[in-house]
Coordinates of all heavy atoms in Angstrom, one line a residue:
M1 N -7.2 12.4 6.2 CA -6.2 11.6 6.9 C -4.8 12.1 6.4 O -4.6 12.3 5.2 CB -6.3 10.1 6.6 CG -5.4 9.2 7.4 SD -5.6 7.4 7.0 CE -7.0 7.1 8.1
E2 N -3.9 12.4 7.4 CA -2.6 12.9 7.1 C -1.7 11.8 6.6 O -1.9 10.6 6.8 CB -2.0 13.5 8.3 CG -2.7 14.6 8.9 CD -2.7 15.9 8.0 OE1 -1.6 16.1 7.4 OE2 -3.7 16.6 8.0
Q3 N -0.6 12.2 5.8 CA 0.3 11.2 5.2 C 0.9 10.2 6.2 O 1.0 9.0 6.0 CB 1.3 11.8 4.4 CG 0.8 12.3 3.0 CD 1.8 12.7 2.0 OE1 3.0 12.9 2.4 NE2 1.4 12.8 0.8
P4 N 1.4 10.7 7.4 CA 1.9 9.7 8.4 C 0.9 8.7 8.8 O 1.2 7.5 9.0 CB 2.4 10.6 9.6 CG 2.6 11.9 8.9 CD 1.6 12.1 7.9
E5 N -0.4 9.1 9.0 CA -1.4 8.1 9.3 C -1.7 7.1 8.2 O -1.9 5.9 8.5 CB -2.7 8.9 9.6 CG -2.7 9.7 10.9 CD -3.9 10.6 11.0 OE1 -4.2 11.4 10.1 OE2 -4.7 10.3 12.0
I6 N -1.7 7.6 7.0 CA -1.8 6.7 5.9 C -0.7 5.7 5.8 O -0.9 4.5 5.6 CB -1.9 7.5 4.5 CG1 -3.2 8.4 4.5 CG2 -1.9 6.6 3.3 CD1 -3.3 9.4 3.4
A7 N 0.5 6.2 6.0 CA 1.7 5.3 6.0 C 1.6 4.2 7.0 O 1.9 3.1 6.8 CB 3.0 6.1 6.1
N8 N 1.2 4.6 8.2 CA 1.0 3.6 9.3 C 0.0 2.6 8.9 O 0.1 1.4 9.2 CB 0.7 4.3 10.6 CG 1.9 5.0 11.2 OD1 3.1 4.6 10.9 ND2 1.7 6.0 12.0
A9 N -1.1 3.0 8.4 CA -2.2 2.1 8.0 C -1.7 1.2 6.9 O -2.1 0.0 6.9 CB -3.4 2.9 7.5
V10 N -1.0 1.7 5.9 CA -0.5 0.9 4.8 C 0.5 -0.2 5.4 O 0.4 -1.4 5.1 CB 0.3 1.7 3.8 CG1 1.1 0.8 2.8 CG2 -0.7 2.6 3.0
R11 N 1.3 0.2 6.4 CA 2.2 -0.8 7.0 C 1.4 -1.9 7.7 O 1.8 -3.1 7.7 CB 3.2 -0.1 8.0 CG 4.3 0.7 7.3 CD 5.2 1.2 8.3 NE 6.2 2.0 7.7 CZ 6.2 3.4 7.6 NH1 5.1 4.0 8.1 NH2 7.1 4.1 7.0
E12 N 0.4 -1.5 8.4 CA -0.5 -2.5 9.1 C -1.1 -3.5 8.1 O -1.1 -4.7 8.4 CB -1.6 -1.8 9.8 CG -1.2 -1.0 11.1 CD -2.3 -0.3 11.7 OE1 -3.5 -0.6 11.4 OE2 -2.0 0.6 12.5
V13 N -1.6 -3.0 7.0 CA -2.2 -3.9 6.0 C -1.1 -4.8 5.4 O -1.4 -6.0 5.3 CB -2.9 -3.1 4.9 CG1 -3.3 -4.0 3.7 CG2 -4.0 -2.3 5.4
V14 N 0.1 -4.3 5.1 CA 1.1 -5.2 4.6 C 1.5 -6.2 5.6 O 1.7 -7.4 5.2 CB 2.4 -4.3 4.2 CG1 3.6 -5.2 3.9 CG2 2.1 -3.4 3.0
R15 N 1.6 -5.9 6.9 CA 1.9 -6.9 7.9 C 0.8 -7.9 8.1 O 1.1 -9.1 8.4 CB 2.2 -6.2 9.2 CG 3.5 -5.5 9.3 CD 3.9 -5.0 10.7 NE 5.0 -4.2 10.6 CZ 4.9 -2.8 10.6 NH1 3.8 -2.2 10.7 NH2 6.0 -2.1 10.5
E16 N -0.4 -7.5 7.8 CA -1.5 -8.5 7.9 C -1.3 -9.6 6.8 O -1.6 -10.8 7.0 CB -2.9 -7.9 7.7 CG -3.3 -7.0 8.8 CD -4.5 -6.1 8.5 OE1 -5.1 -6.3 7.4 OE2 -4.9 -5.3 9.3
I17 N -0.9 -9.1 5.6 CA -0.7 -10.0 4.5 C 0.6 -10.8 4.5 O 0.6 -12.0 4.2 CB -0.7 -9.2 3.1 CG1 -2.1 -8.5 3.0 CG2 -0.4 -10.1 1.9 CD1 -2.1 -7.4 1.9
A18 N 1.7 -10.1 4.9 CA 3.0 -10.8 5.0 C 3.7 -10.4 6.3 O 4.5 -9.5 6.4 CB 3.8 -10.3 3.8
P19 N 3.3 -11.1 7.4 CA 3.8 -10.8 8.7 C 5.3 -11.0 8.9 O 5.9 -10.5 9.8 CB 3.0 -11.8 9.6 CG 2.5 -12.8 8.8 CD 2.4 -12.3 7.4
D20 N 6.0 -11.7 7.9 CA 7.4 -11.9 8.0 C 8.2 -10.8 7.5 O 9.4 -10.7 7.6 CB 7.8 -13.2 7.3 CG 7.2 -14.4 8.0 OD1 6.9 -14.4 9.2 OD2 7.0 -15.4 7.3
I21 N 7.5 -9.8 6.8 CA 8.3 -8.6 6.3 C 8.8 -7.8 7.5 O 8.0 -7.5 8.4 CB 7.4 -7.8 5.4 CG1 7.1 -8.6 4.1 CG2 8.0 -6.4 5.1 CD1 6.3 -7.8 3.1
P22 N 10.1 -7.5 7.4 CA 10.7 -6.7 8.5 C 10.1 -5.2 8.5 O 9.3 -4.9 7.6 CB 12.2 -6.7 8.2 CG 12.2 -7.0 6.8 CD 11.0 -7.8 6.4
E23 N 10.7 -4.4 9.4 CA 10.3 -3.0 9.4 C 10.4 -2.4 8.0 O 11.4 -2.6 7.3 CB 11.2 -2.3 10.4 CG 10.8 -0.8 10.6 CD 9.5 -0.7 11.3 OE1 9.0 -1.6 12.0 OE2 8.8 0.3 11.0
M24 N 9.4 -1.6 7.6 CA 9.4 -1.1 6.3 C 9.7 0.4 6.2 O 9.0 1.2 6.8 CB 8.0 -1.3 5.7 CG 7.6 -2.7 5.4 SD 5.8 -2.8 5.2 CE 5.3 -3.2 6.8
E25 N 10.8 0.7 5.6 CA 11.2 2.1 5.3 C 10.3 2.5 4.1 O 9.9 1.7 3.3 CB 12.6 2.3 5.0 CG 13.5 2.0 6.2 CD 15.0 2.2 5.9 OE1 15.3 3.1 5.0 OE2 15.8 1.5 6.5
E26 N 10.0 3.8 4.1 CA 9.0 4.3 3.1 C 9.4 4.0 1.6 O 8.5 3.8 0.8 CB 8.7 5.7 3.3 CG 7.9 5.9 4.6 CD 7.0 7.1 4.6 OE1 6.8 7.7 3.5 OE2 6.5 7.4 5.7
N27 N 10.7 4.1 1.3 CA 11.1 4.0 -0.1 C 11.6 2.6 -0.5 O 12.1 2.5 -1.6 CB 12.1 5.1 -0.4 CG 11.4 6.4 -0.4 OD1 10.4 6.6 -1.0 ND2 12.0 7.4 0.3
I28 N 11.6 1.7 0.4 CA 12.1 0.3 0.1 C 11.0 -0.4 -0.7 O 9.8 -0.4 -0.4 CB 12.4 -0.5 1.3 CG1 13.5 0.3 2.1 CG2 12.8 -1.9 1.0 CD1 14.9 0.3 1.4
S29 N 11.4 -1.1 -1.8 CA 10.5 -1.9 -2.6 C 9.9 -3.0 -1.7 O 10.6 -3.8 -1.1 CB 11.2 -2.5 -3.8 OG 10.4 -3.5 -4.4
L30 N 8.6 -3.1 -1.7 CA 7.9 -4.2 -1.0 C 8.2 -5.5 -1.6 O 8.3 -6.5 -0.9 CB 6.4 -3.9 -0.9 CG 6.0 -2.7 -0.2 CD1 4.5 -2.4 -0.3 CD2 6.4 -2.8 1.3
N31 N 8.4 -5.5 -2.9 CA 8.7 -6.8 -3.6 C 10.1 -7.3 -3.1 O 10.2 -8.5 -2.9 CB 8.8 -6.6 -5.1 CG 9.0 -7.8 -5.9 OD1 10.1 -8.2 -6.2 ND2 7.9 -8.5 -6.2
S32 N 11.0 -6.4 -2.9 CA 12.3 -6.9 -2.4 C 12.3 -7.3 -1.0 O 13.2 -8.1 -0.5 CB 13.4 -5.7 -2.5 OG 13.1 -4.7 -1.6
L33 N 11.2 -6.9 -0.2 CA 11.1 -7.4 1.1 C 10.3 -8.7 1.2 O 10.1 -9.3 2.3 CB 10.3 -6.4 2.0 CG 11.1 -5.0 2.2 CD1 10.2 -4.0 2.9 CD2 12.4 -5.3 3.0
G34 N 9.8 -9.2 0.1 CA 9.2 -10.5 0.0 C 7.7 -10.5 -0.3 O 7.0 -11.5 -0.3
L35 N 7.1 -9.3 -0.6 CA 5.7 -9.3 -1.0 C 5.6 -9.8 -2.5 O 6.1 -9.2 -3.4 CB 5.1 -7.9 -0.9 CG 3.6 -7.8 -1.1 CD1 2.9 -8.5 0.0 CD2 3.2 -6.3 -1.2
D36 N 4.9 -10.9 -2.7 CA 4.8 -11.5 -4.0 C 3.6 -11.0 -4.7 O 2.9 -10.1 -4.2 CB 4.8 -13.0 -3.9 CG 3.6 -13.6 -3.1 OD1 2.7 -12.8 -2.9 OD2 3.7 -14.8 -2.8
S37 N 3.4 -11.5 -5.9 CA 2.3 -11.0 -6.8 C 0.9 -11.2 -6.2 O 0.0 -10.4 -6.2 CB 2.4 -11.6 -8.2 OG 2.3 -13.0 -8.2
L38 N 0.7 -12.4 -5.6 CA -0.5 -12.7 -4.9 C -0.8 -11.7 -3.7 O -1.9 -11.2 -3.5 CB -0.6 -14.1 -4.5 CG -0.8 -15.1 -5.6 CD1 -0.8 -16.5 -5.0 CD2 -2.0 -14.9 -6.4
G39 N 0.3 -11.5 -3.0 CA 0.3 -10.5 -1.9 C -0.1 -9.1 -2.3 O -0.8 -8.4 -1.7
S40 N 0.5 -8.8 -3.5 CA 0.2 -7.4 -4.1 C -1.3 -7.3 -4.4 O -1.9 -6.2 -4.2 CB 1.0 -7.2 -5.3 OG 2.4 -7.2 -5.0
V41 N -1.9 -8.3 -5.0 CA -3.3 -8.3 -5.3 C -4.1 -8.2 -4.0 O -5.0 -7.3 -3.9 CB -3.7 -9.6 -6.1 CG1 -5.3 -9.6 -6.2 CG2 -3.1 -9.6 -7.4
E42 N -3.8 -9.0 -3.0 CA -4.4 -8.9 -1.7 C -4.3 -7.5 -1.1 O -5.2 -7.0 -0.5 CB -3.9 -10.0 -0.8 CG -4.5 -10.0 0.6 CD -6.0 -10.5 0.6 OE1 -6.4 -11.2 -0.4 OE2 -6.7 -10.2 1.5
L43 N -3.1 -6.9 -1.2 CA -2.8 -5.6 -0.7 C -3.8 -4.6 -1.3 O -4.4 -3.8 -0.6 CB -1.4 -5.2 -1.0 CG -1.0 -3.8 -0.6 CD1 -1.1 -3.6 0.9 CD2 0.5 -3.5 -1.0
T44 N -3.9 -4.6 -2.6 CA -4.8 -3.6 -3.3 C -6.2 -3.8 -2.8 O -6.9 -2.8 -2.6 CB -4.7 -3.7 -4.8 OG1 -5.1 -5.0 -5.2 CG2 -3.4 -3.4 -5.4
L45 N -6.7 -5.0 -2.7 CA -8.1 -5.2 -2.2 C -8.3 -4.7 -0.8 O -9.3 -4.1 -0.5 CB -8.4 -6.7 -2.3 CG -8.5 -7.3 -3.8 CD1 -8.7 -8.8 -3.7 CD2 -9.6 -6.6 -4.6
R46 N -7.3 -5.0 0.1 CA -7.5 -4.6 1.5 C -7.3 -3.1 1.6 O -8.0 -2.5 2.4 CB -6.4 -5.3 2.3 CG -6.7 -6.8 2.5 CD -5.8 -7.4 3.6 NE -6.0 -8.8 3.6 CZ -5.8 -9.5 4.7 NH1 -5.3 -8.9 5.8 NH2 -6.0 -10.8 4.7
L47 N -6.5 -2.5 0.8 CA -6.4 -1.0 0.8 C -7.7 -0.4 0.4 O -8.1 0.6 1.0 CB -5.2 -0.5 0.0 CG -3.8 -0.9 0.5 CD1 -2.7 -0.5 -0.5 CD2 -3.5 -0.1 1.8
E48 N -8.3 -0.9 -0.7 CA -9.6 -0.4 -1.1 C -10.6 -0.4 0.0 O -11.3 0.5 0.3 CB -10.1 -1.2 -2.3 CG -9.4 -0.8 -3.6 CD -9.9 -1.6 -4.8 OE1 -10.4 -2.8 -4.6 OE2 -9.9 -1.0 -5.9
D49 N -10.7 -1.6 0.7 CA -11.6 -1.7 1.9 C -11.2 -0.8 3.0 O -12.1 -0.1 3.5 CB -11.6 -3.1 2.4 CG -12.3 -4.1 1.5 OD1 -13.1 -3.7 0.6 OD2 -12.0 -5.3 1.6
R50 N -10.0 -0.7 3.3 CA -9.5 0.1 4.5 C -9.8 1.6 4.3 O -10.2 2.3 5.2 CB -8.1 -0.2 4.7 CG -7.4 0.6 5.8 CD -7.6 -0.1 7.2 NE -7.0 0.6 8.3 CZ -5.9 0.2 8.9 NH1 -5.4 -1.0 8.6 NH2 -5.4 0.9 9.9
F51 N -9.5 2.1 3.1 CA -9.6 3.5 2.8 C -10.9 3.9 2.1 O -11.1 5.1 1.8 CB -8.4 3.9 2.0 CG -7.2 4.0 2.8 CD1 -6.3 2.8 2.8 CD2 -6.8 5.1 3.6 CE1 -5.2 2.8 3.6 CE2 -5.7 5.1 4.3 CZ -4.8 3.9 4.4
G52 N -11.8 2.9 1.7 CA -13.0 3.2 1.1 C -12.8 3.8 -0.3 O -13.5 4.8 -0.7
V53 N -11.8 3.3 -1.0 CA -11.5 3.8 -2.4 C -11.6 2.7 -3.4 O -11.7 1.5 -3.0 CB -10.1 4.5 -2.5 CG1 -10.0 5.7 -1.6 CG2 -9.0 3.5 -2.2
V54 N -11.7 3.0 -4.6 CA -11.6 2.0 -5.7 C -10.4 2.4 -6.6 O -10.4 3.6 -7.1 CB -12.9 1.9 -6.5 CG1 -12.7 1.0 -7.7 CG2 -14.0 1.5 -5.6
F55 N -9.5 1.5 -6.8 CA -8.4 1.8 -7.7 C -8.8 1.6 -9.2 O -9.3 0.5 -9.5 CB -7.2 1.0 -7.4 CG -6.6 1.2 -6.0 CD1 -6.6 0.3 -5.1 CD2 -6.0 2.5 -5.7 CE1 -6.1 0.5 -3.8 CE2 -5.5 2.7 -4.5 CZ -5.5 1.8 -3.5
E56 N -8.6 2.6 -10.0 CA -9.0 2.5 -11.4 C -7.9 1.6 -12.1 O -6.8 1.5 -11.6 CB -9.0 3.8 -12.1 CG -10.0 4.8 -11.4 CD -11.5 4.3 -11.4 OE1 -11.8 3.6 -12.4 OE2 -12.2 4.5 -10.5
D57 N -8.2 1.1 -13.3 CA -7.3 0.2 -14.0 C -5.9 0.9 -14.2 O -4.9 0.2 -14.0 CB -7.9 -0.2 -15.3 CG -9.0 -1.2 -15.2 OD1 -9.2 -1.8 -14.1 OD2 -9.8 -1.4 -16.1
D58 N -6.0 2.1 -14.6 CA -4.7 2.8 -14.8 C -3.9 3.1 -13.6 O -2.7 3.4 -13.7 CB -4.9 4.1 -15.6 CG -5.8 5.1 -14.9 OD1 -6.6 4.8 -14.1 OD2 -5.6 6.3 -15.1
E59 N -4.5 3.0 -12.4 CA -3.8 3.2 -11.2 C -3.1 1.9 -10.6 O -2.3 2.0 -9.7 CB -4.7 3.7 -10.1 CG -5.3 5.1 -10.4 CD -6.4 5.5 -9.4 OE1 -7.2 4.7 -9.0 OE2 -6.4 6.7 -9.1
L60 N -3.4 0.8 -11.2 CA -2.9 -0.5 -10.8 C -1.5 -0.8 -11.3 O -1.2 -2.0 -11.4 CB -3.9 -1.6 -11.1 CG -5.3 -1.5 -10.4 CD1 -6.2 -2.6 -10.9 CD2 -5.1 -1.6 -8.9
A61 N -0.8 0.2 -11.7 CA 0.6 0.0 -12.2 C 1.5 -0.3 -11.0 O 1.3 0.1 -9.9 CB 1.0 1.3 -12.9
F62 N 2.5 -1.1 -11.3 CA 3.5 -1.6 -10.3 C 4.1 -0.4 -9.6 O 4.2 -0.5 -8.3 CB 4.6 -2.4 -11.0 CG 5.7 -2.7 -10.1 CD1 5.6 -3.7 -9.2 CD2 6.9 -2.0 -10.1 CE1 6.7 -4.0 -8.3 CE2 8.0 -2.3 -9.3 CZ 7.8 -3.3 -8.3
E63 N 4.4 0.7 -10.3 CA 5.1 1.8 -9.6 C 4.2 2.4 -8.5 O 4.7 3.0 -7.6 CB 5.6 2.8 -10.6 CG 4.6 3.4 -11.5 CD 4.4 2.6 -12.8 OE1 5.1 1.6 -13.0 OE2 3.6 3.0 -13.6
N64 N 2.9 2.3 -8.6 CA 2.0 2.9 -7.6 C 2.0 2.1 -6.3 O 1.5 2.6 -5.3 CB 0.6 3.0 -8.2 CG 0.5 4.2 -9.1 OD1 1.2 5.1 -9.1 ND2 -0.5 4.1 -10.0
F65 N 2.4 0.8 -6.4 CA 2.3 -0.1 -5.2 C 3.7 -0.7 -4.9 O 3.8 -1.6 -4.2 CB 1.4 -1.2 -5.5 CG -0.1 -0.7 -5.6 CD1 -0.6 -0.4 -6.9 CD2 -0.9 -0.6 -4.5 CE1 -1.8 0.1 -7.0 CE2 -2.2 -0.1 -4.6 CZ -2.6 0.2 -5.9
E66 N 4.8 0.0 -5.4 CA 6.1 -0.5 -5.2 C 6.6 -0.4 -3.8 O 7.3 -1.2 -3.3 CB 7.1 0.2 -6.2 CG 8.5 -0.3 -6.1 CD 9.4 0.4 -7.1 OE1 9.0 1.4 -7.7 OE2 10.5 -0.1 -7.2
S67 N 6.2 0.7 -3.1 CA 6.7 1.0 -1.8 C 5.6 1.6 -0.9 O 4.6 2.1 -1.5 CB 7.9 1.9 -1.8 OG 7.5 3.2 -2.3
V68 N 5.9 1.7 0.3 CA 4.9 2.4 1.2 C 4.8 3.9 0.7 O 3.6 4.4 0.6 CB 5.4 2.4 2.7 CG1 4.6 3.3 3.6 CG2 5.4 1.0 3.2
A69 N 5.9 4.5 0.4 CA 5.8 5.9 -0.1 C 4.9 6.1 -1.4 O 4.1 7.0 -1.4 CB 7.2 6.5 -0.4
S70 N 5.1 5.2 -2.3 CA 4.3 5.3 -3.5 C 2.8 5.0 -3.3 O 1.9 5.7 -3.9 CB 4.8 4.4 -4.6 OG 4.7 3.0 -4.3
I71 N 2.5 4.1 -2.4 CA 1.1 3.8 -2.0 C 0.5 5.0 -1.3 O -0.6 5.4 -1.5 CB 1.0 2.6 -1.1 CG1 1.5 1.4 -1.9 CG2 -0.4 2.4 -0.6 CD1 1.7 0.1 -1.1
V72 N 1.3 5.6 -0.4 CA 0.8 6.8 0.3 C 0.5 8.0 -0.6 O -0.5 8.6 -0.5 CB 1.9 7.3 1.4 CG1 1.5 8.7 1.9 CG2 2.0 6.3 2.5
D73 N 1.4 8.2 -1.6 CA 1.1 9.2 -2.6 C -0.2 8.9 -3.4 O -1.0 9.9 -3.5 CB 2.3 9.3 -3.6 CG 3.5 9.8 -3.1 OD1 3.5 10.5 -2.0 OD2 4.6 9.7 -3.7
L74 N -0.4 7.7 -3.8 CA -1.6 7.3 -4.5 C -2.9 7.5 -3.6 O -3.8 8.2 -4.0 CB -1.5 5.9 -5.0 CG -2.8 5.3 -5.7 CD1 -3.1 6.1 -7.0 CD2 -2.6 3.9 -6.0
L75 N -2.8 7.0 -2.4 CA -3.9 7.1 -1.5 C -4.2 8.6 -1.1 O -5.4 9.0 -0.9 CB -3.7 6.3 -0.3 CG -3.9 4.8 -0.5 CD1 -3.4 4.0 0.7 CD2 -5.3 4.4 -0.8
S76 N -3.2 9.4 -0.9 CA -3.3 10.8 -0.6 C -4.1 11.5 -1.6 O -5.0 12.3 -1.4 CB -2.0 11.5 -0.3 OG -1.4 10.9 0.8
A77 N -3.7 11.2 -2.9 CA -4.4 11.8 -4.0 C -5.9 11.4 -4.1 O -6.8 12.2 -4.4 CB -3.7 11.5 -5.3
K78 N -6.1 10.1 -3.9 CA -7.5 9.6 -4.0 C -8.4 10.1 -2.8 O -9.5 10.3 -3.1 CB -7.5 8.0 -4.0 CG -6.9 7.5 -5.3 CD -7.2 6.0 -5.5 CE -8.6 5.7 -5.9 NZ -9.0 6.2 -7.2
T79 N -7.8 10.1 -1.7 CA -8.7 10.6 -0.5 C -8.9 12.1 -0.5 O -9.8 12.5 0.2 CB -8.1 10.0 0.8 OG1 -6.8 10.5 1.0 CG2 -8.1 8.5 0.9
A80 N -8.0 12.8 -1.1 CA -8.1 14.3 -1.2 C -9.2 14.7 -2.2 O -9.8 15.7 -2.1 CB -6.8 14.9 -1.5
A81 N -9.4 13.8 -3.2 CA -10.3 14.2 -4.3 C -11.7 14.1 -3.9 O -12.1 13.4 -3.0 CB -10.0 13.3 -5.5

């Protein structure tokens, strides 16, 4: 899957969890847009299901899930491996 496709899928998952979040630019903090800690946990679980991956403990760092861009980077690396 190409990065733009991954980014669109990530946006879809975020909107499922937090439909009130406005349009998401790739480098904007999801937390600043209103995604709370419970939403972040839900996001990681849904991304694992959507992409068929498992996030390792060391990958569950805030900076990996801070923005659409950081999530795309993580998922690109996981799906390429």
Side-chain angles (χ1 to χ4, degrees):
M1 187 178 274
E2 299 291 322
Q3 285 193 342
E5 293 174 293
I6 294 171
N8 287 336
V10 169
R11 285 185 185 96
E12 287 176 16
V13 172
V14 171
R15 283 191 194 100
E16 290 170 6
I17 297 165
D20 295 334
I21 289 182
E23 188 63 31
M24 290 166 265
E25 293 183 30
E26 290 210 11
N27 292 311
I28 300 294
S29 167
L30 295 176
N31 186 269
S32 73
L33 294 175
L35 189 67
D36 62 15
S37 58
L38 290 176
S40 296
V41 171
E42 182 69 20
L43 176 62
T44 59
L45 295 173
R46 288 190 187 205
L47 290 172
E48 286 181 328
D49 287 342
R50 177 85 178 249
F51 289 92
V53 299
V54 174
F55 296 115
E56 302 301 326
D57 290 344
D58 63 330
E59 294 172 324
L60 294 174
F62 173 77
E63 57 271 3
N64 286 336
F65 295 90
E66 183 176 12
S67 66
V68 171
S70 62
I71 296 169
V72 168
D73 289 343
L74 176 62
L75 287 169
S76 293
K78 289 194 76 65
T79 57

